[in-house]
Amino acid sequence: LIHSRGIRVGLRAMVDDIKRTLRDSKAARWTALLIVSFSMLCGYYVADIMSPLKPMIEQQLGWSSSEYGFFTGAYAWFNVFLAMLIFGGVILDKKGPRFAGVLGCVLMVVGCGAKYFAISTDSLRDVMMLGTKAQVLIASVGFAIFGVGIEICGITATKIIARWFKGYEIALAMGLQVSTARIGTALALGLGGPIAAALHSVAAPVLVGLLMLAVGLIAFFFYVVMDRKLDASETAAEAEPEEPFRLADIGQILRIRGFWYIAMLCALFYSAVFPFLKYAPDLMVQKFDVRDDLAGVIPSILPFATIPLTVIFGGFYDRKGKGATIMALGSLLLVVVHLTFTIPMLSHWVIAVVATVVLGFGFSLVPSAMWPSVPKFIPQRQLGTAYALIFYMQNLVALMGVPYLIGWVLDRFCVIGTRDVEGVSSPAYDYTWPMAVFSALGVLAVVFALLLKAEDKKMGYGLELPCHNK
């Protein structure tokens, strides 16, 4: 009897082991996260590498703020006007993360290559194409191609984490992915200027980014191998098959009011952060008298501050919940910081450092809760498309519209003279009005965060509940 009972216990343990999938291995799921996060780090470096170079670009290449804003907004051209981001989400849901991830990485390499060609080719400076400087136009098209690639990679990475960490440390994992990507932004802001100054070329930091993207593409192929093994382990465990994605699911997503609130929160919040980072180095030069080659040092504090903070807040959401509250608090901090930058007499560099650190708290709070909250009311089969729709709103407002708006405002209302650096003249700007625009966007983000919190209480999405249930 004892012997037969032991056999039954042993068989039950064997069955439990067979039913385990690869994602139940902590080492496997964290390795997958590491690979995907590294690819995103390389992408974020390239996305922000032109930010600390704005003063040098104006001096060496002769671009205006409007042309710089035109280039910066080009990131979202194809994602918005050709709906490539939404197509990318549908491709992700129908073809899977392996195909979508490789596609995104390849597009990033191609787009960055075109941007580097334009920036490094002197003969394009005085050539006009379609009423625009050829150098600006070709660099912008390259940036637009890159924008399609990195956004596809972004939604792919988010769905990958949702798949591998469902029921586990999903908010912590998403926080770590965001934090790792922010390292790329920090490296771009902190090293872009010194690299360009040391090599006497604004194209040199872009070339570094192109090489990094090639390494990131190779790294993603290692994830492809792991994802195949995950599929095999789920088949062996007889996992319940997932219902396939249908185009009609898009309509179901759009009928969810909470989805619209979180999409608008995302667009408005990032409108007050990403475009700010594009202009922050120039703000440091114009208002806080920082040297041109060190213009990105203070803004680089922001992504460095988010690296530990996003992980901490993500872990808190996993264990304690309060996701909607976290998003509202982060949006409020955003308003406080931008109002500080708006006040003209607050022009000492110490104030810039303190305000940037506080902004790091806000920039950590919202993403650490926002991205893990989406799977709480969107089914897994629709998750890629839902993220794509949210990213579409972000591209339309934060990555295309607002950067161009800020450049136009600077040229139209904020030129107060000229400044000379090593015998080269460039415009001098007053950043009061642009910072007021960022403050207003932050106020709107607070409004939608509070609407989301109220909708969660009404519908019971569970945004205030912990994510970790294992």
Side-chain angles (χ1 to χ4, degrees), residues 116-384:
Y116 172 70
F117 167 76
I119 299 298
S120 61
T121 305
D122 293 338
S123 60
L124 294 175
R125 295 184 185 180
D126 299 321
V127 178
M128 299 297 291
M129 293 178 61
L130 303 176
T132 306
K133 291 179 182 177
Q135 188 175 61
V136 175
L137 184 60
I138 295 174
S140 298
V141 171
F143 201 33
I145 295 172
F146 169 84
V148 174
I150 193 173
E151 292 297 311
I152 290 177
C153 282
I155 59 176
T156 300
T158 308
K159 185 168 182 178
I160 285 172
I161 295 170
R163 181 188 185 193
W164 282 77
F165 286 85
K166 183 179 180 180
Y168 290 99
E169 316 90 338
I170 184 171
L172 176 60
M174 288 189 177
L176 281 168
Q177 187 271 315
V178 170
S179 297
T180 305
R182 298 285 181 256
I183 295 176
T185 297
L187 292 174
L189 294 173
L191 298 180
I195 291 174
L199 299 178
H200 306 289
S201 170
V202 294
V206 181
L207 178 59
V208 172
L210 181 59
L211 297 175
M212 289 175 62
L213 289 176
V215 176
L217 173 59
I218 294 171
F220 195 84
F221 280 112
F222 286 94
Y223 170 77
V224 169
V225 175
M226 291 192 65
D227 195 67
R228 289 184 183 277
K229 291 183 178 180
L230 176 59
D231 283 347
S233 69
E234 289 183 334
T235 300
E238 297 180 353
E240 183 178 345
E242 183 179 299
E243 185 180 348
F245 173 83
R246 301 163 308 207
L247 289 177
D249 290 342
I250 297 177
Q252 294 180 8
I253 295 170
L254 296 178
R255 284 194 291 270
I256 301 174
R257 185 176 299 176
F259 167 82
W260 282 104
Y261 289 155
I262 207 167
M264 290 303 300
L265 168 61
C266 173
L268 293 165
F269 177 83
Y270 282 118
S271 290
V273 177
F274 287 154
F276 169 75
L277 283 176
K278 301 296 184 185
Y279 289 93
D282 194 45
L283 170 69
M284 300 303 144
V285 171
Q286 304 284 350
K287 182 175 182 179
F288 298 99
D289 294 324
V290 178
R291 280 169 37 195
D292 287 26
D293 59 337
L294 300 178
V297 173
I298 294 177
S300 71
I301 296 173
L302 174 60
F304 275 124
T306 65
I307 292 168
L309 293 174
T310 305
V311 175
I312 292 171
F313 297 141
F316 179 87
Y317 188 21
D318 273 329
R319 299 187 308 272
K320 303 295 184 180
K322 305 297 180 183
T325 302
I326 289 173
M327 286 183 266
L329 177 59
S331 300
L332 183 60
L333 287 178
L334 196 69
V335 177
V336 173
V337 170
H338 285 320
L339 285 175
T340 301
F341 280 126
T342 302
I343 301 173
M345 64 281 300
L346 299 179
S347 58
H348 196 281
W349 66 268
V350 174
I351 294 175
V353 171
V354 173
T356 303
V357 170
V358 176
L359 183 59
F361 277 85
F363 196 26
S364 302
L365 284 163
V366 174
S368 68
M370 181 166 57
W371 302 121
S373 293
V374 178
K376 289 193 172 186
F377 57 88
I378 300 292
Q380 179 73 20
R381 75 176 190 278
Q382 301 173 347
L383 206 50

